[in-house]
Amino acid sequence: GTAAIIWNLVILEKINNFIMNQSKEQRILNFVLQNAVRGDPCSVLDTIDKYCSQKEWAMNVGSEKGLILDKTVEEVNPSVALELGTYCGYSTVRIARLLKAGAHLLTVEFNPEFAAIAKQIIEFAGVQDKVKLLEGPSEEIIPQLKKKYEVDTLDFVFLDHWKDRYTPDTILLQECNLLRKGSVVLADNVIVPGAPEFLNYIRNNPRFQCTNYPSHLEYMKVQDAMEKAVFLG
């Protein structure tokens, strides 16, 4: 799985970027703008999935694990949700399209280029009214959520950023009193690339109740999984 990611992300992507003189993320955006239906989140998701399964692999949550994400969001029915790792906005659109009226999603992206592309995809999908995109490192933004962004507590958190940030950011969410009893944390890619430190922390923490959802790495037949952790307070 890791070898496949390196091949796709490092070798193929560099060749394509050089030939086309633009980033893969820009190519995904262009494909969406040309082929998806404006204002239709499902069309945007299907178009990204089509591009990434047929043309170039990308680190979106994808359609298979996307169903686990959908089911979790529908069960939690959050008023306030947080996503760490926006990338091109695929999972942002996926979560936002399921939010009830008045609910909102804060999504955090460290990379300015990804954030700029995600902003356009979110707007094209028509879910921008439910989404606030915050640019910068998660460890700086999380402590600002209460005062600067008027967040009381988070009902749902989706971890899909740097895997080595999963544990410290989950700890930070608790230290900042952003989790309440029943808050749900869902983590992607816990097998590939893998987040062993996070799994060890969350499964051995009496404040969390964990469920593992075996699946496959996005757009591949490689084993992966998502981990759901319910905060017990």
Side-chain angles (χ1 to χ4, degrees):
T2 307
I5 291 174
I6 291 167
W7 167 252
N8 281 285
L9 282 186
V10 180
I11 301 163
L12 282 183
E13 192 174 324
K14 282 192 172 163
I15 294 167
N16 286 328
N17 290 357
F18 178 75
I19 293 168
M20 300 183 197
N21 197 28
Q22 60 175 193
S23 70
K24 175 178 67 181
E25 292 72 28
Q26 188 65 49
R27 293 192 288 276
I28 291 171
L29 171 63
N30 292 344
F31 192 77
V32 167
L33 299 179
Q34 289 160 15
N35 296 280
V37 178
R38 179 180 285 277
D40 183 342
C42 292
S43 169
V44 170
L45 296 172
D46 290 345
T47 304
I48 296 174
D49 284 334
K50 184 179 176 184
Y51 187 88
C52 296
S53 56
Q54 295 177 8
K55 295 177 185 287
E56 289 184 272
W57 184 87
M59 54 184 181
N60 310 304
V61 70
S63 52
E64 186 187 354
K65 286 188 292 184
L67 295 176
I68 300 167
L69 175 60
D70 290 355
K71 185 172 177 284
T72 309
V73 172
E74 285 166 345
E75 284 171 359
V76 177
N77 193 22
S79 295
V80 186
L82 173 69
E83 174 184 45
L84 300 180
T86 317
Y87 188 44
C88 290
Y90 176 94
S91 49
T92 313
V93 170
R94 197 146 197 140
I95 295 166
R97 85 192 203 288
L98 298 173
L99 294 180
K100 60 191 171 189
H104 63 282
L105 167 66
L106 298 144
T107 183
V108 178
E109 178 51 56
F110 175 73
N111 182 314
E113 188 205 341
F114 295 169
I117 283 166
K119 191 168 184 288
Q120 292 179 73
I121 285 180
I122 290 161
E123 285 176 2
F124 188 86
V127 294
Q128 69 275 13
D129 292 348
K130 292 182 174 182
V131 177
K132 191 173 192 70
L133 199 159
L134 310 176
E135 221 176 296
S138 53
E139 63 268 31
E140 287 181 17
I141 289 174
I142 289 169
Q144 300 176 342
L145 288 176
K146 276 192 183 283
K147 282 192 176 173
K148 192 172 178 182
Y149 301 104
E150 299 178 347
V151 172
D152 180 19
T153 53
L154 299 160
D155 305 309
F156 175 70
V157 180
F158 184 46
L159 303 180
D160 198 17
H161 56 331
W162 297 106
K163 310 312 157 196
D164 61 359
R165 289 298 319 167
Y166 280 19
T167 307
D169 284 346
T170 302
I171 292 167
L172 195 53
L173 288 167
Q174 293 170 78
E175 288 173 347
C176 295
N177 296 313
L178 285 158
L179 301 182
R180 55 153 180 87
K181 186 178 180 180
S183 292
V184 171
V185 176
L186 183 69
D188 190 19
N189 301 120
V190 295
I191 305 298
V192 180
E197 183 197 353
F198 172 76
L199 290 181
N200 184 52
Y201 166 76
I202 209 93
R203 289 174 180 176
N204 293 296
N205 189 327
R207 301 188 78 184
F208 288 96
Q209 184 178 17
C210 297
T211 310
N212 185 264
Y213 295 102
S215 187
H216 296 92
L217 185 65
E218 44 271 27
Y219 318 115
M220 289 189 193
K221 290 179 178 171
V222 177
Q223 290 294 320
D224 194 13
M226 299 177 100
E227 188 85 0
K228 181 174 91 169
V230 181
F231 188 64
L232 303 175

